[in-house]
Amino acid sequence: MVNNIKLEDISNELFLCIWDQLSMADAIYSFSNLNTRIDCMLFRFCCLYDKLDLRYCSLSIFRYFSHQIIMKDEWRLNLTVLKIGNSYRCSQVISLADEVIKFFMKNYFIRKDNQNNNSSNLLHMINLLKKKNVEPIFPQLNTLIVYQSITMNENYRDIFLYGIACGSTLRTLNWRACSYQTHHSESFFDWLFQCSTNLHKYQLLNTLGESGFELSYHHTLINSYQFHPSLIFLKINILNLSTLFVLLYYLPKLEWLDVHISNPIEVENDFNKNLSKTMDYPIKLHTLKFRTLNIQGRGCYELENLLLKFVQSLESLSISMYHRCANEPGLNYNGYSLSILCQKFLHLRSFHFALQIQMFEKADENVINNFVNTFSTPFWLNGPFGCKRVCVDFEQIYGLIQMFSLPFTFNDFTLTRSIDLTNIQFNTDLKENQTSKHLSQKLETLWFGMDRLLLSFDKNQILSSVFIQALRCPSSQGKTLVLSQKRGIMSENIVNQIQLKHFNMLALFDSIDTNINYNLQELISWFQLLPNIICLEICLTEFKYWLTNDTNNLYLCSVLQRLERLHVDCSSLINRQMNEEIYHLFLSYIIDKDRFPQLRCLRLRSCKNIASSWENIDQWISFILTHINEHQLTCVRFDFIEQEKKTTEMNICNQIMRIVQLSSIIDIHQFVHDNHIALWIERRYKYFSLTK
C-alpha cells in the first residue's frame, strides 16, 4: 500500500505504471482534477471527456461518473463512447437512467414549468424526447454498449432509447438484455426505424434458449415504418422467420447479418409465404450467419428459399442448426446437398457449418462412413473453399449425427460429446493418417473455436485414456467444461498422466440427488485433470453434500483454494426450514480465508419464493459483513424470483447503503422491480492516497 504520495515527486513513467494496473475509469476517477499536467495525460492516454467504459468499475466509481458525465459539460457535450452494465455489477442501467431523468426534469420541467406531478412530467418529457423536441443528453455520442442485468420498465427503456441513444451522431448500439424482456420488442424496433436515422451497427440480444424479439408486418404498417437509410450491420435474436422477412424488407442497406431464430422453422403458413414472395431484400448482403437454428422436417426448404434470395451478393455463409426429420430421412443434410446449395451462390468464398441431424435408430459405422464420404468429393477437398476439413461422429446418448466444418467458428454453440468422440471421423482421414496425427491434434481446431463443452455419459461408463487425451488443447485457454449428472469412471493412470489445462470454468450441470449413490470420487478424478479451474457453477444440493461429508478431502480442498468465482443455484431452497438448515452451515464454510483464499465473487442464483424461503436474508448479509475480515470476497450477489407478490411497473426500489472501513468501502445495493429482486454487496479496497 502506498500512502501520501506527493504529486511533484511522481514522474510520467510512474503514472503510466500505475495506470497499467487500473481500468481507464479507475484511472480517471483516481487522478482527474489533481493538476493540469495529469489532466493532460488523462486526456492523452485515458480518453478523458471522450470515451468511458464503466462496465467493470465499482459501484462508488460508477455513481461518481454517472453524475459527472451528465452534470459536467466537458463530459456531457464531448462524450463519444459509453459502455455500461455487467452481470457481476449492480444495475448500472437503472442508476444512469435515474440521473438522466433528474437532469431533464431539472432543466426542462421544474425550472420552466414548476410542476409538482413528477409522474406526469416524466411521461411528458418522454413524449418530447420521442418527438425530438428535446436535445439528447450526449449530443456527440457515437457508440453505446449496454449490458442490461436487471429487468426494466417502459420509462427506463424510453429514457435510454430516446434520451441517450437518439442523437444524430450515434453509429453503433449494442444492447444485451436480461431474461424476460421481449415484451419490449416493438419499442426497440420503433426506435430503430423511427429514431436511429444514421445508425450503422445494431445488436439486440437476449439469453439463448428464450424466445427472441418479434416484429410483425402489421405493426410496421400501423406505425408507418420507413426503410432504414443507413444500417449495414445487424446481430439479433428473433422469435420467428416472419420477423426476419420484415427486417430484411425494411433494411435495404444491410450488408452483414447474424441472426438466431428461437422458434422452430417449419413449413410456412400462407401469410409467411406471401411475405417471402412479395417483399424485397437487401441487394448488398454479403455476410450471413445463422446461429443455433431448429429446423423441423421440410422447414429446411424455407431456409434454402430464403438463402437463395442472395445468390448474387452472398460471399460468406455460416450455419449452425439442429435438424429433425422423422419421416423423410432423405431431407437430412450431408456433403452432397450442401455442395449443391453452395454452388448456387455466384460469389461465395467462405462457408462454415455445425449441423446436428436427429437420428431415430443407432447409427452404425456404415452410416457414419456414408456421411463422411459425402464430404470426400473434390468440391470439399479441392474446391472453392480449398481443402475444407469436416469431422463427423454419432452422439448416441442424444441420437445425433454431428457434422462440423473446421476450424470451428460457433463460440455460442455448446458442443456435446461422450466417449463416442473416439470414433469421430474426418473427410481428410486418408491424408492425415499418413502423418500419424494424434486425435487431439486433429481436434485442435474444433476445441480452439468452442467456448463450452458438455460431456454426457451413461451410468458407470468407463472413460479411456484415448478419450481423455482427445480433449486436450494446449493452444487455447478460458474454456468451460460442463459435466452432467453421470460423470464416468477413470483410472488413476489417466489422472496422473493427462492435464486439461485449457478449461478455466467448471459447470456441474443439473441438480443431483446426493441421497442415491452419490460418488464424489468420479468428480475428484475430473478435478485432478483440471488444474486451472478458477470458476465453479454448482447446485446447492451437491454443494451441501460437500459441506457435510467431504470437508477434509484433500483434492476437493485444493480445488476450492484456487477458486476466484463461485456460482450456486439455490432453486432447491423452497421453504424457510430448508433455508435455516443451510444458512449457517453454508456461510461458515464459505467465509474462510484458508479454505477459499482466492475467492472474490459469490453469486447465489434462482433464490425462489423470497417471502417464505428468504425472510432471513438480513441474517445472511449480517453474517457476511460481521466476518468481513475472514474472507476475500469483493462481490456478493443474490438473485431472487418473487412468486407471491409483485410490484407495479412504476414501483421500483433502488436503494444503496455504504459502510466505510479503515481499509475498504462496502456498498450494499438492493434493487426491486416486478418479480425480480437483486442484491449486491461490493467491497473496494483503498490502495493509495495522493497529496498535493
Side-chain angles (χ1 to χ4, degrees):
M1 182 179 294
V2 182
N3 292 304
N4 298 323
I5 302 174
K6 292 186 177 181
L7 292 177
E8 57 267 25
D9 296 334
I10 300 180
S11 65
N12 290 359
E13 290 75 15
L14 178 56
F15 270 116
L16 291 176
C17 290
I18 295 173
W19 291 344
D20 284 342
Q21 307 303 315
L22 301 173
S23 69
M24 286 188 179
D26 288 333
I28 295 172
Y29 176 79
S30 301
F31 297 109
S32 62
N33 298 320
L34 292 176
N35 62 34
T36 303
R37 177 175 70 94
I38 294 177
D39 277 356
C40 289
M41 295 182 69
L42 290 172
F43 188 84
R44 177 181 177 186
F45 295 106
C46 296
C47 302
L48 181 65
Y49 305 136
D50 180 21
K51 300 176 182 178
L52 198 55
D53 186 349
L54 300 175
R55 292 175 295 179
Y56 309 107
C57 67
S58 67
L59 175 59
S60 56
I61 292 179
F62 176 79
R63 293 180 68 193
Y64 168 81
F65 277 115
S66 65
H67 182 76
Q68 284 285 303
I69 61 177
I70 290 172
M71 302 309 298
K72 192 170 183 178
D73 284 348
E74 288 90 341
W75 275 113
R76 190 177 65 81
L77 299 178
N78 294 289
L79 188 66
T80 62
V81 176
L82 178 61
K83 303 177 182 181
I84 67 169
N86 182 286
S87 61
Y88 296 104
R89 293 294 184 263
C90 63
S91 179
Q92 294 184 350
V93 172
I94 302 300
S95 298
L96 181 60
D98 281 334
E99 293 292 336
V100 174
I101 290 172
K102 292 176 186 176
F103 174 84
F104 281 124
M105 296 292 277
K106 177 181 178 180
N107 288 277
Y108 290 92
F109 293 94
I110 295 178
R111 179 173 59 82
K112 293 182 178 181
D113 303 327
N114 196 28
Q115 298 180 10
N116 295 319
N117 189 336
N118 288 335
S119 178
S120 176
N121 283 345
L122 180 58
L123 294 175
H124 182 45
M125 180 187 74
I126 290 173
N127 286 330
L128 290 178
L129 288 169
K130 289 182 176 181
K131 296 177 182 178
K132 298 190 176 182
N133 292 333
V134 176
E135 285 292 322
I137 198 162
F138 304 121
Q140 299 302 319
L141 193 65
N142 175 278
T143 299
L144 177 62
I145 297 177
V146 178
Y147 186 105
Q148 180 199 342
S149 61
I150 288 294
T151 57
M152 63 181 179
N153 66 24
E154 58 185 17
N155 291 330
Y156 284 126
R157 176 202 68 209
D158 289 342
I159 285 296
F160 251 83
L161 293 180
Y162 297 100
I164 298 177
C166 66
S168 60
T169 61
L170 191 71
R171 298 295 182 268
T172 299
L173 175 62
N174 296 355
W175 192 295
R176 181 177 289 274
C178 63
S179 296
Y180 312 118
Q181 294 296 281
T182 53
H183 60 282
H184 294 303
S185 292
E186 291 178 349
S187 297
F188 278 115
F189 290 123
D190 287 348
W191 171 85
L192 174 64
F193 289 102
Q194 298 174 350
C195 183
S196 66
T197 54
N198 295 312
L199 196 71
H200 290 168
K201 295 183 178 181
Y202 186 40
Q203 291 191 37
L204 180 59
L205 306 175
N206 64 344
T207 305
L208 286 179
E210 297 183 1
S211 296
F213 297 91
E214 182 179 18
L215 177 62
S216 70
Y217 187 51
H218 175 72
H219 178 80
T220 68
L221 295 177
I222 62 176
N223 287 275
S224 303
Y225 274 27
Q226 302 295 316
F227 297 126
H228 199 287
S230 60
L231 195 74
I232 61 174
F233 177 105
L234 177 64
K235 183 175 182 178
I236 192 168
N237 295 352
I238 59 175
L239 181 68
N240 48 38
L241 200 57
S242 62
T243 297
L244 181 57
F245 291 148
V246 174
L247 287 173
L248 290 172
Y249 176 66
Y250 282 101
L251 297 173
K253 303 291 185 180
L254 198 64
E255 298 179 12
W256 202 102
L257 174 63
D258 183 335
V259 60
H260 164 67
I261 302 175
S262 58
N263 278 2
I265 296 178
E266 303 174 306
V267 176
E268 288 181 345
N269 56 38
D270 292 338
F271 178 72
N272 277 353
K273 286 182 179 179
N274 185 57
L275 277 181
S276 63
K277 291 179 180 179
T278 59
M279 285 187 165
D280 294 326
Y281 295 86
I283 61 174
K284 295 183 179 181
L285 187 72
H286 57 72
T287 301
L288 180 54
K289 182 174 184 177
F290 286 109
R291 288 176 285 117
T292 55
L293 301 182
N294 182 346
I295 310 292
Q296 296 291 314
R298 296 195 169 210
C300 59
Y301 291 142
E302 312 303 334
L303 177 64
E304 291 183 20
N305 289 336
L306 174 61
L307 288 172
L308 294 177
K309 304 291 184 182
F310 309 106
V311 293
Q312 298 285 343
S313 62
L314 203 60
E315 299 175 8
S316 177
L317 175 62
S318 300
I319 303 175
S320 64
M321 72 175 185
Y322 164 84
H323 188 197
R324 178 186 177 92
C325 190
N327 300 317
E328 296 181 88
L331 295 179
N332 289 332
Y333 283 105
N334 58 34
Y336 294 144
S337 56
L338 289 176
S339 64
I340 292 172
L341 176 64
C342 288
Q343 291 177 78
K344 294 180 180 179
F345 299 99
L346 302 181
H347 305 287
L348 193 64
R349 298 293 178 265
S350 174
F351 181 47
H352 300 280
F353 58 87
L355 308 181
Q356 293 180 318
I357 306 299
Q358 185 67 62
M359 305 298 285
F360 297 93
E361 57 185 22
K362 183 176 180 179
D364 58 23
E365 187 175 353
N366 289 332
V367 173
I368 299 174
N369 287 337
N370 288 337
F371 275 98
V372 173
N373 290 336
T374 64
F375 291 99
S376 300
T377 63
F379 179 85
W380 298 107
L381 299 178
N382 190 26
F385 313 123
C387 181
K388 174 64 73 173
R389 294 181 70 239
V390 179
C391 62
V392 181
D393 75 309
F394 176 65
E395 179 52 63
Q396 58 180 315
I397 290 180
Y398 297 100
L400 298 172
I401 286 286
Q402 301 189 116
M403 298 171 283
F404 298 148
S405 63
L406 301 175
F408 189 74
T409 60
F410 302 92
N411 57 10
D412 55 352
F413 185 100
T414 299
L415 288 180
T416 302
R417 294 294 172 187
S418 69
I419 60 170
D420 295 312
L421 175 66
T422 57
N423 298 320
I424 196 168
Q425 297 187 36
F426 299 81
N427 65 330
T428 54
D429 269 346
L430 289 177
K431 182 185 301 184
E432 291 176 346
N433 281 343
Q434 295 173 1
T435 59
S436 301
K437 281 188 176 181
H438 189 275
L439 183 55
S440 63
Q441 294 175 292
K442 294 182 179 181
L443 289 168
E444 185 173 5
T445 55
L446 177 66
W447 302 145
F448 191 85
M450 65 92 182
D451 280 346
R452 291 174 65 90
L453 173 63
L454 168 62
L455 296 180
S456 297
F457 308 108
D458 290 329
K459 185 177 181 180
N460 299 325
Q461 195 161 45
I462 304 298
L463 307 184
S464 68
S465 59
V466 175
F467 169 73
I468 300 297
Q469 185 75 21
L471 300 176
R472 294 182 68 250
C473 185
S475 62
S476 67
Q477 285 293 323
K479 308 301 183 182
T480 298
L481 178 65
V482 185
L483 295 178
S484 60
Q485 294 183 8
K486 302 179 183 67
R487 290 154 189 174
I489 301 172
M490 62 184 83
S491 68
E492 289 187 10
N493 290 336
I494 296 177
V495 299
N496 292 331
Q497 296 174 5
I498 303 173
Q499 298 276 275
L500 304 178
K501 296 182 179 181
H502 55 303
F503 292 108
N504 299 118
M505 181 172 179
L506 176 64
L508 302 180
F509 188 63
D510 289 339
S511 180
I512 195 167
D513 188 350
T514 56
N515 296 317
I516 304 177
N517 298 324
Y518 179 73
N519 187 350
L520 180 65
Q521 186 55 45
E522 292 180 357
L523 187 58
I524 293 298
S525 297
W526 282 104
F527 283 154
Q528 292 176 268
L529 292 174
L530 303 166
N532 293 335
I533 294 298
I534 59 174
C535 180
L536 175 66
E537 289 187 4
I538 187 173
C539 66
L540 185 59
T541 306
E542 185 166 6
F543 198 72
K544 180 182 176 182
Y545 183 89
W546 296 0
L547 310 187
T548 54
N549 296 278
D550 297 285
T551 55
N552 297 318
N553 187 292
L554 294 178
Y555 292 112
L556 178 59
C557 289
S558 67
V559 172
L560 300 182
Q561 288 177 345
R562 296 195 304 267
L563 289 183
E564 297 177 9
R565 303 190 303 277
L566 176 62
H567 299 176
V568 183
D569 184 336
C570 296
S571 57
S572 59
L573 287 184
I574 58 175
N575 57 56
R576 183 183 176 89
Q577 179 181 353
M578 297 176 67
N579 184 308
E580 294 286 359
E581 290 174 355
I582 193 67
Y583 151 64
H584 194 272
L585 176 67
F586 177 82
L587 287 181
S588 298
Y589 191 77
I590 293 291
I591 307 302
D592 186 332
K593 283 184 179 179
D594 294 329
R595 185 176 287 114
F596 292 94
Q598 306 298 326
L599 191 63
R600 298 294 184 269
C601 177
L602 171 64
R603 183 174 181 183
L604 305 183
R605 300 182 301 172
S606 303
C607 307
K608 298 180 180 179
N609 304 314
I610 182 174
S612 60
S613 305
W614 292 86
E615 290 178 353
N616 63 342
I617 185 62
D618 290 341
Q619 291 178 262
W620 287 72
I621 299 170
S622 177
F623 191 103
I624 294 170
L625 296 179
T626 302
H627 299 80
I628 197 73
N629 294 321
E630 299 172 27
H631 61 82
Q632 303 292 330
L633 290 170
T634 58
C635 180
V636 180
R637 177 172 175 178
F638 297 77
D639 281 290
F640 301 100
I641 301 174
E642 174 62 81
Q643 300 289 354
E644 299 186 8
K645 57 182 179 180
K646 295 185 179 181
T647 61
T648 64
E649 278 285 322
M650 294 298 295
N651 187 11
I652 295 175
C653 172
N654 191 22
Q655 296 180 340
I656 298 172
M657 180 177 72
R658 168 167 292 186
I659 301 173
V660 179
Q661 297 187 325
L662 182 63
S663 62
S664 63
I665 297 172
I666 300 170
D667 290 308
I668 302 174
H669 183 194
Q670 182 180 5
F671 177 84
V672 181
H673 172 55
D674 259 358
N675 66 337
H676 195 164
I677 301 175
L679 182 110
W680 295 267
I681 304 173
E682 183 181 273
R683 173 165 57 175
R684 179 171 59 91
Y685 290 100
K686 302 174 183 177
Y687 291 106
F688 52 81
S689 62
L690 294 171
T691 59
K692 298 183 180 181

